[in-house]
């Protein structure tokens, strides 16, 4: 019945076929959401039917995707690494990883990105990094011009690990927006943000500025300037008419996968003090762009950062089963990759966490092992192994994209 091509007419016919089968198989006439068919049964009918089925039956928190940690980060210059090896060899090892440009990551299936932002309302605060000066490394003219402009800057550790594939927050946002516009059917993308406030890392360096309410307001506004409302998933979208965001999430309030496709959501990955500044006196996150990392009991609870899928595995599973979205990490500090140790990666993939972050979306040929983190079949997103185990476990909700290897 549903052997389909790629045209809109065929997809429309698939939708009619799915609605018809759901109405006829459901316990109540006229309620297609009660469809009892499983994804494999729909998949047997053809790929067009499967797409309609997952978009209709899954919600945003019913998927799993892989993404990257410090997604903007490029390779540290050898001169900086040599300085670090002499003074702090463990830090040198932990910082010695790199990512390809954001568009390449997205093309390869990354559906979670992480961006570190530094407050720079006047511009020029980070224009002369102490580490680059000490190593005699000049800053190129284009980067200098970007650093001189007012606005949030993107880097890992000021003075030391400062080079990035997109120098400013707005430029990073623009890259994701351009990519998303060209691929409107992509699975939803999570962009996590760290609001960095660290002291200078080197003598003669520069302290990061604090994030106050005005800075967080500006961060929100930058997102809204780049992404129109129809391209965003915000706390208000999820909360709807519920008294709190948490109540909405616990009552299946996340949008359907079909509604979430082509959209981006943002999460503030910070501890309680910064989250409190961002929330202000709101009951949940009314009017805000970012979801926040908080505990499961908070009225603002919807998203949690639980970085260790081994030590925090039980909490991850309980949170995901309850309806929350969780981000965890498959590796950290380059340790797992250097050892070729897949235990943490495998625990992350099995945990139910919807977003799994890695520093190794691709193999690193310098490590001489096969450590990398991808979903089976290189899919961009799959049915969640915990939430959809009896319905569509292992089924791709966004198949593999084009990929270039080293």
């Amino acid at each position: 019945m549903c052997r389909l091509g790629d045209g809109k007419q065929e997809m429309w016919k698939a939708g009619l076929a799915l609605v018809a089968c759901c109405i006829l198989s459901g316990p109540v006439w006229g309620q297609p959401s009660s469809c009892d068919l499983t994804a494999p049964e729909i998949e047997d009918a053809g790929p067009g039917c499967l797409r309609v089925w997952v978009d209709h039956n899954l919600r945003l928190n019913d998927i799993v995707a892989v993404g990257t940690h410090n997604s903007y980060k490029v390779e540290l210059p050898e001169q900086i690494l040599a300085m670090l090896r002499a003074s702090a060899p463990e830090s040198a090892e932990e910082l010695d990883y790199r990512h390809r440009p954001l568009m390449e990551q997205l093309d390869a299936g990354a559906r979670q990105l992480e961006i570190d932002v530094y407050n720079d309302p006047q511009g020029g605060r980070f224009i002369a990094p102490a580490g680059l000066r000490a190593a005699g490394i000049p800053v190129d003219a284009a980067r200098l011009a970007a650093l001189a402009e007012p606005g949030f800057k993107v880097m890992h550790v000021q003075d030391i690990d400062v080079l990035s594939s997109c120098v400013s927050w707005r430029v990073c946002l623009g890259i994701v927006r351009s990519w998303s516009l060209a691929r409107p059917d992509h699975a939803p993308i999570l962009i996590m943000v760290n609001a960095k406030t660290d002291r200078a890392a080197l003598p003669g360096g520069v302290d990061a500025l604090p994030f106050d309410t005005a800075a967080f307001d500006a961060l929100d506004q930058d997102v809204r300037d780049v992404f129109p409302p129809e391209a965003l998933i915000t706390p208000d979208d999820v909360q709807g008419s519920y008294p709190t965001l948490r109540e909405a999430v616990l009552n299946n309030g996340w949008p359907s996968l079909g509604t979430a496709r082509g959209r981006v959501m943002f999460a503030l990955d910070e501890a309680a003090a910064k989250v409190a500044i961002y929330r202000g006196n709101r009951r949940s996150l009314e009017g805000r762009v970012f979801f926040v990392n908080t505990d499961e009991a908070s009225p603002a609870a919807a998203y949690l950062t639980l970085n260790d899928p081994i030590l925090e595995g039980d909490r991850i599973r309980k949170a995901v089963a309850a309806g929350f979205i969780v981000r965890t990490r498959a590796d950290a500090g380059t340790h797992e990759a250097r050892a070729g140790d897949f235990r943490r990666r495998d625990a992350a993939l099995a945990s139910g966490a919807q977003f799994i972050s890695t520093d190794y979306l691709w193999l690193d040929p310098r490590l001489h092992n096969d450590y990398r983190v991808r979903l089976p079949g290189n899919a961009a997103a799959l049915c969640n192994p915990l939430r959809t185990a009896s319905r569509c476990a292992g089924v791709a909700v966004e198949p593999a994209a084009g990929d270039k290897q080293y």
Side-chain angles (χ1 to χ4, degrees):
M1 177 172 61
C2 284
R3 293 290 173 191
L4 303 176
D6 296 326
K8 292 183 179 179
Q9 183 177 5
E10 285 77 10
M11 187 62 73
W12 176 76
K13 290 178 181 177
L16 288 180
L18 176 64
V19 170
C21 84
C22 288
I23 289 174
L24 293 175
S25 66
V28 180
W29 175 265
Q31 293 185 4
S33 62
S34 64
C35 181
D36 290 331
L37 296 183
T38 63
E41 289 170 333
I42 294 294
E43 191 171 24
D44 287 342
C49 290
L50 176 63
R51 164 65 188 274
V52 176
W53 188 95
V54 297
D55 282 3
H56 178 79
N57 284 278
L58 301 187
R59 293 187 177 270
L60 170 56
N61 59 331
D62 288 330
I63 68 171
V64 59
V66 167
T68 53
H69 162 250
N70 295 337
S71 309
Y72 55 85
K73 184 173 157 34
V74 298
E75 192 168 9
L76 268 174
E78 183 55 40
Q79 301 96 309
I80 299 291
L81 276 173
M83 291 169 51
L84 287 173
R85 290 188 189 108
S87 59
E90 185 174 342
S91 294
E93 187 173 273
E94 291 180 350
L95 295 176
D96 190 14
Y97 64 93
R98 71 280 180 94
H99 291 298
R100 300 188 192 184
L102 297 184
M103 279 202 176
E104 283 194 43
Q105 296 177 47
L106 293 165
D107 280 343
R111 294 297 175 265
Q112 174 258 305
L113 302 174
E114 183 182 16
I115 310 293
D116 291 341
V117 295
Y118 285 78
N119 192 14
D120 188 16
Q122 304 302 317
R125 185 171 186 83
F126 304 100
I127 204 164
L132 296 189
R133 295 200 314 267
I137 300 172
V139 180
D140 64 86
R143 188 173 297 272
L144 283 174
L147 291 170
E149 290 291 322
F152 299 101
K153 303 305 186 298
V154 173
M155 68 193 87
H156 187 208
V157 182
Q158 78 268 38
D159 298 316
I160 294 176
D161 195 1
V162 300
L163 301 181
S164 52
S165 60
C166 45
V167 179
S168 75
W169 168 236
R170 288 186 68 110
V171 168
C172 294
L173 292 176
I175 291 169
V176 177
R177 175 63 175 155
S178 295
W179 185 92
S180 178
L181 279 170
R183 299 157 186 84
D185 288 338
H186 66 76
I189 296 169
L190 169 66
I191 298 181
M192 299 169 51
V193 168
N194 294 141
K196 302 296 282 284
T197 55
D198 300 332
R199 301 291 300 271
L202 293 175
V206 62
D207 294 338
L209 293 175
F211 270 78
D212 55 13
T213 300
F216 281 128
D217 288 348
L219 201 67
D220 272 7
Q221 190 58 52
D222 280 352
V223 173
R224 293 193 187 278
D225 286 347
V226 175
F227 291 89
E230 64 271 16
L232 290 172
I233 300 165
T234 67
D236 285 341
D237 295 330
V238 176
Q239 183 171 336
S241 60
Y242 283 93
T244 67
L245 180 58
R246 179 180 183 271
E247 289 178 72
V249 167
L250 295 180
N251 286 279
N252 217 21
W254 292 105
S256 69
L257 178 59
T259 300
R261 284 190 188 272
R263 297 190 176 198
V264 178
M265 62 182 289
F266 290 80
L268 182 64
D269 181 21
E270 285 293 350
K274 289 178 188 173
V275 166
I277 296 171
Y278 184 75
R279 280 183 69 189
N281 60 4
R282 297 167 178 82
R283 186 173 188 187
S284 294
L285 291 164
E286 293 81 4
R288 281 304 199 187
V289 167
F290 288 75
F291 296 87
V292 296
N293 177 35
T294 187
D295 65 85
E296 294 91 327
S298 169
Y303 162 85
L304 292 85
T305 297
L306 299 173
N307 281 328
D308 193 324
I310 296 176
L311 295 179
E312 299 176 291
D314 287 344
R315 186 179 174 191
I316 292 173
R317 286 185 285 274
K318 289 176 183 176
V320 170
F324 299 107
I325 282 179
V326 175
R327 176 264 200 174
T328 195
R329 292 184 67 177
D331 43 74
T334 76
H335 301 302
E336 290 80 10
R338 291 180 187 278
D341 183 351
F342 292 90
R343 289 174 296 174
R344 181 169 175 167
R345 183 203 70 173
D346 293 346
L349 290 169
S351 69
Q354 289 88 352
F355 294 99
I356 299 165
S357 184
T358 181
D359 290 324
Y360 296 90
L361 197 61
W362 286 275
L363 299 175
D364 186 337
R366 302 173 301 170
L367 300 184
H368 306 293
N369 64 38
D370 59 353
Y371 186 88
R372 72 169 190 166
V373 181
R374 293 287 182 93
L375 295 177
N378 285 342
L382 297 176
C383 288
N384 188 280
L386 184 71
R387 290 187 57 84
T388 68
S390 64
R391 294 184 289 160
C392 59
V395 171
V397 300
E398 186 185 352
D403 187 6
K404 296 181 290 184
Q405 300 292 331
Y406 278 115

